[in-house]
Amino acid sequence: MENKNLSAKSNFEVLASNLSKEERSDILSQIQQDKLDVSFPSEKSDNQFEQEKRREDKLTLSEKLRQEPLLFRFILWLKSLFLNSSIETVYNNSVLASLSKNLEHDFPDVIDCKNKLLLSGFYSGLLDLKRVREFFKPSFDSLEQDSGLFYFLLGFTVMPEIVQDIKSSCDVYSYSFEKPLPADIRNILFTKLDGIVSGISSEKKIKMSACSREFERLRMFVKIPLGTVMSKFSSGSSGRTCSFSQIKDDFDSLARILLGRFECSDTTLSVLFMSGIPQKDLWNCSTSSYEEIAEKVNSSSAEISLLNTFAEKIPLKKFGKVISENSLYSPLPLSYSDLWFQKFKEQWKVVLDKRLKMWNKDFKKSEIKKKLKIYFSLEDFPKYPSRPWKKVGADYTEKYESSIGFLNYYLKNEFPKYKQLLSTITLEGKFSIKENMYEFSDMISTLNSIITKNDFLVERLSSSGEYGSEITHYASSEKEPDKEKLRSILFEIEGNALDLADMFAKFLTGFENLLFAMLGEKSTVYYGPLANLNKIMGADNKEFKLNLEKFAHSVKFASEVLQAIIEMENISV
């Protein structure tokens, strides 16, 4: 005990030795006059002296302690001796004790500092936040895989002149279909794009950056796992409660995002909601105001107001200090990855790439149409007799529609011209290679099978057929099960069409080899000519040979066209 008193005396002498004569007299005077006030100073209002407060937040505990009145520091020192703790720890606890007292007085239904609990009032606030999150979440979910779409559409709204410049200078369709594109066309377009976006004015950059920050902050809020936070509250006789220790980490994330007023311009909100509307072709996308979007933007003001009300009613920074038991607690400021410029440009590159694919597909289509004109005197792609998928919507196209359209045309219009020719070969033809006779027989069997399958598909797609009637039934329905059934039917039709087109393409390739071999124009170890080519139908069989030659070339042209059509249809845009 004597040693402890000596130590205390020694510490007191050290402290006193650093005090001036006036400071010693001031302390002694206050003690003698019984003016010793052991209450702890409350924090300044968050709304007062903002600049000073920001400077204060950067101070260490020791630096803040040095700013306290001398007598208060002396009392803290005495208390640290009795508690055998550092003066900084005592100071931290004293600030928290004063703060806790004030919070319990001002927010009795929100926080219980004595028992270290958040109460029903806080849970009620979380319910409001959850409602706001659910309002915005669908829009952000649609952007989860492609956040660049927001910045792309934002450019249409904020800097339409830049967008127009890009569309004028980087349009691959300025190249005609008279010849293929230059080999370096992609680099040419991207170089033009880089030059245009590098010329964006400072004013537009500031506006884009501001909207980007609003969007990013709202996105961060939507990502807060409020369901997880709320699940930590338990029900009891006094309502919903959650201990400080359970919510400590989640509270910090919440405070970081909600601290400070939320600002969301109509521009940011309208583009956010516009991003959720499916755009089939971003090149020609419309950013005009939809009635639905205008209504959502108007509704957003109430939701944003709820966010700000929560932060205004509950002093998150002060709550954080008590919950973390740290009087210096201050949430880290939000860091924004201001990547709008990069994402805007990258999204345009995606759009230009897609448009490049569209050009190549259209170029192939134009080349095929030339062949259809030369080979079969057709002005356009022949249509399939039944196309019930047109009832689904003007924008929907069956992927292999052109393939089966040509297949049906050839079977119904070209093949009948040579049906008698094939019967003659079957009856009178003598093959120099025996295996060719079997192959010819198999080919005729395959052809008949293709004809049967095609007729069956035509019947199923008719208005009274299985597919046709089902599509008519489900196409106008808004029920999700009906939509799913419709998608299943269309997928099945696409599979049948592809199988039929592939089967016919393989048949044409093999039959072309066989027919030219019959003529003696393509003899190999596997294929040989007809041994009686010059004798079928009598001595003067010029007409037979001419028809056989025409048929061989017809099959060759059909194979060439069908392969090109399938290749074109498989270009995904």
Side-chain angles (χ1 to χ4, degrees), residues 443-490:
M443 285 288 185
I444 297 302
S445 177
T446 299
L447 179 59
N448 288 328
S449 175
I450 292 172
I451 292 172
T452 301
K453 288 176 181 292
N454 180 62
D455 290 342
F456 184 49
L457 183 59
V458 170
E459 190 278 325
R460 295 178 81 185
L461 290 172
S462 68
S463 59
S464 59
E466 175 190 353
Y467 289 148
S469 59
E470 286 187 328
I471 290 175
T472 301
H473 175 72
Y474 294 117
S476 58
S477 176
E478 291 298 324
K479 297 177 181 178
E480 190 53 42
D482 289 348
K483 289 182 179 179
E484 182 60 35
K485 179 63 177 176
L486 180 61
R487 285 192 287 267
S488 175
I489 294 169
L490 294 172

Side-chain angles (χ1 to χ4, degrees), residues 109-378:
D109 63 334
V110 179
I111 192 167
D112 177 358
C113 297
K114 182 179 179 181
N115 294 303
K116 297 185 177 181
L117 296 172
L118 289 178
L119 308 177
S120 295
F122 195 89
Y123 185 84
S124 178
L126 291 178
L127 283 174
D128 288 338
L129 295 182
K130 187 171 182 287
R131 172 188 143 185
V132 177
R133 180 178 181 272
E134 289 172 350
F135 178 83
F136 288 108
K137 190 174 184 298
S139 297
F140 283 97
D141 284 347
S142 66
L143 290 168
E144 189 64 31
Q145 302 299 323
D146 188 11
S147 62
L149 178 60
F150 172 83
Y151 302 103
F152 178 82
L153 295 176
L154 184 63
F156 274 77
T157 304
V158 174
M159 43 187 190
E161 68 288 345
I162 293 294
V163 170
Q164 189 55 48
D165 197 5
I166 293 172
K167 294 179 73 171
S168 298
S169 303
C170 304
D171 189 5
V172 69
Y173 277 88
S174 62
Y175 292 83
S176 72
F177 292 140
E178 295 301 317
K179 59 181 180 180
L181 292 168
D184 61 342
I185 183 62
R186 193 168 181 266
N187 289 334
I188 292 173
L189 297 177
F190 284 3
T191 300
K192 289 181 179 180
L193 174 66
D194 289 340
I196 293 169
V197 297
S198 64
I200 298 174
S201 68
S202 298
E203 178 186 357
K204 298 298 183 183
K205 286 181 179 179
I206 292 172
K207 177 67 173 175
M208 288 287 289
S209 184
C211 291
S212 170
R213 285 169 176 262
E214 292 173 352
F215 168 78
E216 288 294 333
R217 188 182 180 193
L218 199 55
R219 183 182 62 81
M220 292 177 196
F221 165 73
V222 168
K223 283 184 174 291
I224 296 175
L226 288 174
T228 302
V229 177
M230 295 172 71
S231 68
K232 295 180 180 180
F233 280 76
S234 56
S235 298
S237 57
S238 58
R240 299 268 187 176
T241 60
C242 178
S243 67
F244 289 174
S245 61
Q246 282 183 293
I247 204 171
K248 182 178 178 181
D249 293 337
D250 294 312
F251 184 89
D252 186 62
S253 300
L254 198 68
R256 282 191 69 200
I257 295 168
L258 293 178
L259 197 63
R261 188 170 182 80
F262 259 90
E263 299 289 350
C264 264
S265 64
D266 286 353
T267 298
T268 300
L269 292 171
S270 62
V271 173
L272 171 62
F273 296 131
M274 196 181 303
S275 303
I277 298 176
Q279 299 276 358
K280 185 176 181 181
D281 181 10
L282 288 177
W283 179 272
N284 294 312
C285 71
S286 172
T287 56
S288 58
S289 179
Y290 296 95
E291 184 176 342
E292 180 186 355
I293 291 176
E295 290 177 2
K296 282 189 174 181
V297 171
N298 290 334
S299 301
S300 297
S301 59
E303 306 301 326
I304 297 295
S305 178
L306 273 178
L307 289 179
N308 289 324
T309 298
F310 179 87
E312 289 166 2
K313 284 186 175 180
I314 299 178
L316 293 170
K317 188 183 290 187
K318 292 180 179 180
F319 271 47
K321 289 180 179 182
V322 173
I323 290 172
S324 65
E325 300 181 336
N326 180 6
S327 64
L328 293 179
Y329 170 81
S330 183
L332 291 173
L334 290 177
S335 57
Y336 297 97
S337 53
D338 200 6
L339 299 176
W340 71 262
F341 182 85
Q342 178 183 337
K343 290 188 175 182
F344 174 75
K345 188 167 70 170
E346 288 304 316
Q347 189 66 42
W348 264 110
K349 288 183 177 180
V350 171
V351 171
L352 293 180
D353 270 337
K354 181 177 180 179
R355 197 156 173 82
L356 189 55
K357 287 182 180 180
M358 289 172 62
W359 189 97
N360 283 322
K361 189 168 187 174
D362 287 343
F363 174 72
K364 287 184 180 294
K365 187 180 294 185
S366 71
E367 293 295 295
I368 294 170
K369 288 176 73 172
K370 292 176 184 177
K371 291 179 180 180
L372 288 171
K373 175 70 172 176
I374 296 170
Y375 297 157
F376 303 104
S377 301
L378 294 172

Side-chain angles (χ1 to χ4, degrees), residues 398-509:
E398 181 61 44
K399 184 174 181 180
Y400 298 104
E401 178 180 340
S402 297
S403 290
I404 59 175
F406 176 75
L407 174 151
N408 182 75
Y409 160 81
Y410 192 84
L411 294 179
K412 301 298 184 185
N413 296 275
E414 296 297 322
F415 172 67
K417 299 176 184 178
Y418 307 102
K419 197 171 183 180
Q420 183 60 45
L421 177 73
L422 293 177
S423 297
T424 301
I425 296 174
T426 302
L427 295 172
E428 301 183 32
K430 293 182 180 180
F431 293 85
S432 57
I433 299 178
K434 189 176 181 180
E435 285 75 12
N436 291 169
M437 179 180 68
Y438 299 134
E439 185 174 348
F440 179 79
S441 178
D442 289 342
M443 285 288 185
I444 297 302
S445 177
T446 299
L447 179 59
N448 288 328
S449 175
I450 292 172
I451 292 172
T452 301
K453 288 176 181 292
N454 180 62
D455 290 342
F456 184 49
L457 183 59
V458 170
E459 190 278 325
R460 295 178 81 185
L461 290 172
S462 68
S463 59
S464 59
E466 175 190 353
Y467 289 148
S469 59
E470 286 187 328
I471 290 175
T472 301
H473 175 72
Y474 294 117
S476 58
S477 176
E478 291 298 324
K479 297 177 181 178
E480 190 53 42
D482 289 348
K483 289 182 179 179
E484 182 60 35
K485 179 63 177 176
L486 180 61
R487 285 192 287 267
S488 175
I489 294 169
L490 294 172
F491 183 75
E492 186 175 328
I493 292 172
E494 183 178 300
N496 289 337
L498 176 59
D499 289 344
L500 190 57
D502 277 345
M503 187 177 183
F504 191 49
K506 290 175 183 175
F507 163 80
L508 291 173
T509 301

